[in-house]
């Protein structure tokens, strides 16, 4: 039987855009079994190499085939502490699934959807207790509770170290809670995954801005034997064009944080101070831009536009999310970029002046560079403009930690294999080192650092 890939069921586009409920519904048991039956359980599986944390994919899929879901999720948890999250937001198409043998002549096995199925099964059927080594007597401080920090913390706690996580915001989770919207990653899922990790005895101290309330050096002198920094890329970039200071211009970071942490997604229960008007223009082409445009529609914008300076092919956002955005009514202006934002007499945004582009030669990243088309300026009306062109590192920690080497862009310099920084006992990983990347890459960095910190603690 030539069985095709099982599609992920999703809610109808017209109804889903009216609220923040999760769009993708997850596999039924029958679908999961059909999809698992497509896996060839390869002797030399490419899929594992494509996974930044090395999940033993064929083994967990084999457990699904045998309907042994508890064993399946335990297998994933050996390497991945956040399976319900990764099953939802990991770009599997560029990772495990890209290397799946089945993909060579057809469609790869839907590894992410299977991961989500068993992780959700586990959340419904009581979380698993993760095994833990006896106490080592060593203490580690983890700064930041995004995927990098949470993974490092969980692995270190499993190795028997006493771990405290310091988080600047009032809620742990990093971008998982204040960036990625509810309709892609429900907060309840993140909360339950974090609760699972906390069972390892990890303490999470929120409202603790390291660099202000305490410093990395003070953590080291107050009894912590090592520090892991996973503070992410929380500083939004702007375009530096005229009009960016007008009312109604947001960074995507501010816009999504307001929606997520001030609970605009629970409208009308919560009245959140975001005025978006009828027409929203989002500048950028990544996941952050697509999330912002879809969020704007859910906040009752009549039109939501993505303005991107390259073509659809070059968009870095996940294809499935771009497709979902289009189904929901998000509109796209490709090969277009703003040159200035216009305001009214009251200082409120009223339009964006854009320039058209064509694609030239590939740039350093291999993508074809956009070249402006002379005389092609056009005006797009807009009540709100959201800038989603990337984020960089917040300089607070580097400024308050003497001896910590940072790159020209302000990222912490760390050995990619170990997370070791220029400062003894200090390790770092995730977006603060690489610049804005992905959840699983941040987790991979947290994992490598945890292993290196363990080695360091045993030798010191
Ligand atoms: C809107 C949006 C959508 C995305 N969609 C996807 C997706 O679909 N798939 C995907 O794989 N990736 C996606 N990403 C990227 C992904 O979320 C990040 O790469 C990942 O979260 C980085 O993890 P991190 O642990 O390095 O940092 P973060 O998740 O940024 O966590 C850093 C944490 O450190 C805290 N912190 C910062 N400074 C301090 C301080 N001085 N003291 C204490 N705490 C501090 C922050 O408050 C935060 O909680 C998306 C990102 C955004 C913004
Ligand atoms: S490469 Fe594809 S078919 Fe082979 S084991 Fe991995 S998921 Fe299964």
């Amino acid at each position: 039987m030539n069985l095709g890939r099982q599609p992920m069921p999703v809610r109808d586009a017209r109804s889903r855009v009216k609220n923040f409920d999760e769009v993708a519904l997850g596999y039924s048991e029958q679908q999961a079994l059909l999809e698992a039956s497509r896996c060839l359980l390869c002797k030399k599986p490419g899929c594992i190499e494509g996974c930044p944390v090395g999940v033993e994919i064929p083994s967990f899929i084999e457990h699904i085939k045998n309907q042994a879901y508890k064993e399946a999720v335990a297998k994933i948890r050996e390497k991945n502490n956040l399976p319900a999250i990764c099953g939802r937001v990991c770009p599997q198409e560029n990772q495990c699934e890209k290397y799946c043998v089945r993909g060579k002549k057809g469609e790869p096995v839907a590894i992410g959807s299977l991961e989500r199925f068993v992780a959700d099964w586990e959340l419904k059927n009581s979380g698993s207790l993760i095994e833990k080594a006896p106490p080592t007597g060593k203490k580690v401080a983890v700064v930041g509770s995004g995927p990098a920090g949470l993974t490092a913390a969980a692995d270190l706690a499993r190795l028997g170290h006493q771990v405290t996580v310091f988080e600047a915001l009032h809620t742990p989770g990093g971008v998982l809670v204040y960036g990625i919207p509810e309709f892609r990653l429900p907060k309840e899922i993140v909360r339950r995954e974090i609760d699972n990790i906390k069972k390892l005895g990890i303490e999470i101290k929120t409202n603790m801005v390291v660099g202000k309330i305490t410093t990395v050096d003070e953590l080291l002198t107050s009894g912590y034997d090592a520090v892991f920094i996973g503070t992410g890329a929380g500083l939004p970039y702007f375009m530096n064009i005229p009009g960016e200071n007008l009312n109604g211009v947001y960074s995507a970071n501010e816009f999504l944080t307001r929606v997520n942490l001030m609970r605009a997604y629970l409208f009308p229960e919560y009245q959140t101070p975001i005025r978006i008007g009828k027409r929203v223009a989002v500048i950028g082409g990544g996941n952050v831009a697509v999330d912002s445009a879809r969020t704007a529609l859910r906040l009752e914008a009549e039109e939501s536009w993505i303005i991107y300076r390259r073509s659809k092919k070059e968009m870095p956002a996940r294809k499935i999310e771009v497709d979902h955005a289009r189904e929901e009514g998000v509109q796209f202006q490709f090969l277009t970029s703003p040159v200035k934002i216009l305001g009214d007499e009251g200082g409120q945004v009223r339009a964006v002046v854009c320039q058209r582009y064509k694609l030239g030669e590939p740039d350093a990243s291999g993508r074809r560079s956009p070249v402006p088309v002379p005389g092609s300026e056009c005006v797009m009306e807009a009540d709100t403009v959201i800038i989603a062109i990337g984020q960089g590192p917040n300089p607070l920690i580097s400024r308050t930690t003497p001896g910590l080497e940072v790159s020209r862009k302000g990222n912490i310099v760390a050995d990619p294999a170990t997370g070791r920084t220029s400062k003894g006992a200090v390790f770092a990983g995730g977006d603060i080192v690489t610049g804005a990347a992905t959840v699983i890459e941040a987790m991979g960095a947290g994992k490598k650092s945890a292993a290196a910190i363990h080695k360091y603690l045993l030798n010191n």
Side-chain angles (χ1 to χ4, degrees), residues 169-299:
L169 294 176
H170 63 277
T171 314
V175 169
L176 305 175
V177 290
Y178 68 75
I180 303 180
E182 179 75 9
F183 57 83
R184 279 216 294 134
L185 180 62
K187 316 253 165 287
E188 177 64 9
I189 297 283
V190 181
R191 189 186 64 74
R192 293 184 69 169
E193 289 278 40
I194 294 177
D195 283 351
N196 234 343
I197 287 178
K198 281 208 264 184
K199 286 186 200 147
L200 288 162
I202 295 164
E203 186 188 4
I204 302 184
K205 290 190 174 178
T206 50
N207 300 313
M208 285 294 295
V209 186
V210 174
K212 277 228 183 297
I213 298 172
T214 183
T215 64
V216 170
D217 283 328
E218 281 164 3
L219 290 171
L220 288 170
T221 50
S222 68
Y224 290 98
D225 301 290
V227 176
F228 173 78
I229 304 173
T231 45
L235 198 71
Y237 291 143
F238 281 92
M239 302 196 67
N240 296 322
I241 54 173
E244 252 177 335
N245 56 344
L246 287 163
N247 289 330
V249 180
Y250 293 92
S251 68
N253 193 298
E254 181 190 348
F255 176 70
L256 291 171
T257 304
R258 280 185 184 228
V259 176
N260 280 309
L261 294 188
M262 297 170 89
R263 304 190 200 183
Y265 65 94
L266 291 178
F267 177 84
E269 257 173 80
Y270 286 80
Q271 290 284 346
T272 302
I274 296 191
R275 183 199 164 279
I276 59 164
K278 290 185 182 159
R279 213 164 190 248
V280 176
V282 181
I283 321 298
N287 286 316
V288 186
V290 176
D291 282 346
S292 302
R294 294 173 76 191
T295 297
L297 285 182
R298 284 162 172 80
L299 294 177

Side-chain angles (χ1 to χ4, degrees), residues 58-133:
S59 307
F60 100 74
I61 297 183
E62 190 171 16
H63 285 307
I64 298 182
K65 285 188 183 193
N66 297 329
Q67 290 172 265
Y69 305 130
K70 196 172 184 168
E71 288 76 6
V73 77
K75 187 44 85 184
I76 300 175
R77 280 197 181 278
E78 282 175 13
K79 300 284 170 68
N80 180 339
N81 298 302
L82 306 168
I85 293 168
C86 289
R88 284 172 166 80
V89 300
C90 262
Q92 292 98 6
E93 62 279 14
N94 295 326
Q95 293 168 342
C96 52
E97 292 182 14
K98 187 172 173 184
Y99 301 95
C100 171
V101 177
R102 274 252 181 213
K104 287 194 180 140
K105 283 194 184 157
E107 291 178 296
V109 174
I111 301 168
S113 304
L114 289 173
E115 180 181 28
R116 171 181 166 159
F117 170 75
V118 283
D120 285 359
W121 179 91
E122 182 196 41
L123 292 178
K124 275 186 220 119
N125 296 274
S126 85
S128 52
L129 211 58
I130 314 163
E131 279 182 28
K132 198 176 153 178

Side-chain angles (χ1 to χ4, degrees), residues 394-409:
N394 187 311
L396 187 57
I397 292 207
S398 52
R399 279 193 195 144
T400 53
T401 314
L404 187 67
E405 194 192 338
V406 291
S407 69
R408 202 172 41 85
K409 284 186 169 175

Side-chain angles (χ1 to χ4, degrees), residues 9 16 96 147 228 265 310 323 342 376 378 406-407:
R16 74 183 186 230
C96 52
F228 173 78
Y265 65 94
R310 291 183 164 93
D323 291 346
L342 304 177
S376 63
C378 57
V406 291
S407 69

